[in-house]
Every structure is written in structure tokens, then in C-alpha cells.
Amino acid sequence: MSEHTMGVEQNNAQNPPEQYHPPITLSDQDIAYLDKTFQYHPPKGDQSAMYGRIRSAVRSAAITVITNCPQSRERSLALTKLEEACMWANAAVARNG
């Protein structure tokens, strides 16, 4: 397994201690995770349709929450969690589909 080093700087007069950053070592597994997680994943195949079905299902759940729960912190949290669920479901499709 190879390792990648980033941010290598020497602590000298050009880099005073308050600006010194120790080297960061990343494994191949770390690099693969970063590449998969933080890059744009353009839709391919029927992924756009999958996103639409996910959004539609979560929207229906959000309508149920809005129409059955009084305005409250708890309702706001429920809606936020639905937004998160939609985001993570879409991420699952984008990263693994």
C-alpha cells in the first residue's frame, strides 16, 4: 500500500511555528474515499429517474408530516430529517449506482 504525503513544510525562518503544518499522510484507501465522496457524479443510465422517485416519495412523507403535525420544533426536525434522508438516498444512487 503506498502512502501520499500532503502539506509538507519545514519549520524554519520562512515558516514560523504558528504557520507550521505537519505532513499529512493519506493511504490509498483514504484517497479512494475522498475521490468517491467529494467529486461530482453526473447521472448515468436511469439514475435521473431514481432521483425523481426518491424525491417524490420523500415529498409525500413531508406532506404527511405538514398536514398532521402542529407547527413545532419537532415538526421542523422531522422535515429536516426527511431532507437528510432524501440527500443520503440520492448520494447512495450517485456514488454506488
Side-chain angles (χ1 to χ4, degrees):
M1 176 186 314
S2 67
E3 294 182 343
H4 306 274
T5 304
M6 298 174 52
V8 178
E9 298 178 24
Q10 297 298 319
N11 188 3
N12 57 32
Q14 292 177 341
N15 295 309
E18 66 272 7
Q19 294 178 358
Y20 174 74
H21 300 285
I24 298 169
T25 302
L26 301 172
S27 69
D28 286 341
Q29 185 177 4
D30 293 333
I31 297 293
Y33 163 78
L34 293 169
D35 289 346
K36 182 177 182 179
T37 304
F38 298 104
Q39 71 179 7
Y40 175 67
H41 302 276
K44 54 189 173 210
D46 66 342
Q47 286 181 330
S48 291
M50 291 178 189
Y51 297 140
R53 289 190 296 271
I54 291 166
R55 280 192 310 273
S56 179
V58 176
R59 180 184 168 95
S60 292
I63 290 169
T64 300
V65 169
I66 290 169
T67 58
N68 289 282
C69 300
Q71 285 191 354
S72 61
R73 176 179 176 271
E74 292 80 5
R75 182 176 108 164
S76 293
L77 288 170
L79 293 171
T80 297
K81 296 302 179 182
L82 288 173
E83 290 178 33
E84 290 175 6
C86 187
M87 187 272 303
W88 284 118
N90 284 336
V93 171
R95 295 175 186 172
N96 304 292

